[in-house]
Amino acid sequence: MKKILLLLADGFEAVEASVFTDVLGWNKWEGDGSTEVVTVGLRDKLTCTWNFTVVPEKTVDDIQLDDFDALAIPGGFEEAGFYEDAFNESFLNVIRHFHAKQKPIASICVASLAIGKSGILIDRKATTYDHPTSKRKEQLKNFCKNVQNERIVQDNNIITSSNPGTAFDVAFLLLEMLTSKENAHHVKDLMGFVHTKVQ
């Protein structure tokens, strides 16, 4: 079984977290059965961007990071306090641990800013929220020399993306990294994202 740590900052966007629980959950029951997601936060109660409360299964202090095979991080809103947790050293140390072990790290939208803040993107390619009205790509340049104009960027073990619309694609890419292209396609088909099965 491959365990995925879904790292949640206060103020995270629920839809960006749910793609990981859904895609990897579908894989657990309908795919190759190899993935299990554990929700983890810095505190025992979190508030999403849109003001409902979530209780993660564990806090960072309750877990052994070596027990996990991959890290997934949804983005969130500054107005909801996202960066207070996402830029906290305890949060950043989780990211550094997974990178040091060269395990997959998948992020959506502005979660890449936390990855950048951890110091591991300096010589990597990455992206973040890219709407023309947003300052986030300029912020990412403080942490990353190679900011890309792409929807999704994969640089070795690290996945970053440009907006919430990429969320399912990021989750399927993580599933592919953890299992296989064929298995990810199978789960996509079961979830209605493709119209033909792999022959």
Side-chain angles (χ1 to χ4, degrees), residues 145-166:
K145 295 176 188 172
N146 299 304
V147 176
Q148 305 291 298
N149 294 313
E150 302 289 341
R151 287 183 74 250
I152 297 172
V153 176
Q154 182 179 354
D155 190 328
N156 294 324
N157 62 312
I158 301 171
I159 303 167
T160 55
S161 85
S162 55
N163 57 60
T166 65

Side-chain angles (χ1 to χ4, degrees), residues 36-156:
E36 178 184 351
V37 176
V38 180
T39 54
V40 178
L42 297 187
R43 60 194 88 201
D44 55 15
K45 205 176 274 189
L46 302 167
T47 303
C48 296
T49 288
W50 312 121
N51 292 327
F52 62 87
T53 301
V54 170
V55 178
E57 294 161 87
K58 304 278 186 183
T59 65
V60 168
D61 293 335
D62 295 332
I63 59 171
Q64 294 294 322
L65 294 177
D66 283 330
D67 292 344
F68 293 88
D69 301 287
L71 175 64
I73 315 171
F77 272 66
E78 184 169 9
E79 294 86 346
F82 176 76
Y83 298 102
E84 291 170 32
D85 279 6
F87 284 2
N88 181 290
E89 278 300 307
S90 294
F91 198 97
L92 301 178
N93 281 335
V94 174
I95 297 168
R96 293 172 185 132
H97 175 91
F98 278 83
H99 182 61
K101 303 285 185 177
Q102 287 298 293
K103 293 177 178 178
I105 300 171
S107 67
I108 298 171
C109 201
V110 296
S112 60
L113 292 170
I115 298 176
K117 179 80 169 172
S118 78
I120 68 171
L121 288 181
I122 193 68
D123 294 316
R124 297 295 195 97
K125 294 177 181 175
T127 192
T128 194
Y129 185 56
D130 65 351
H131 193 272
T133 60
S134 174
K135 62 185 179 183
R136 300 305 176 197
K137 278 183 91 170
E138 284 304 310
Q139 280 185 292
L140 186 61
K141 289 177 183 176
N142 294 321
F143 309 126
C144 176
K145 295 176 188 172
N146 299 304
V147 176
Q148 305 291 298
N149 294 313
E150 302 289 341
R151 287 183 74 250
I152 297 172
V153 176
Q154 182 179 354
D155 190 328
N156 294 324

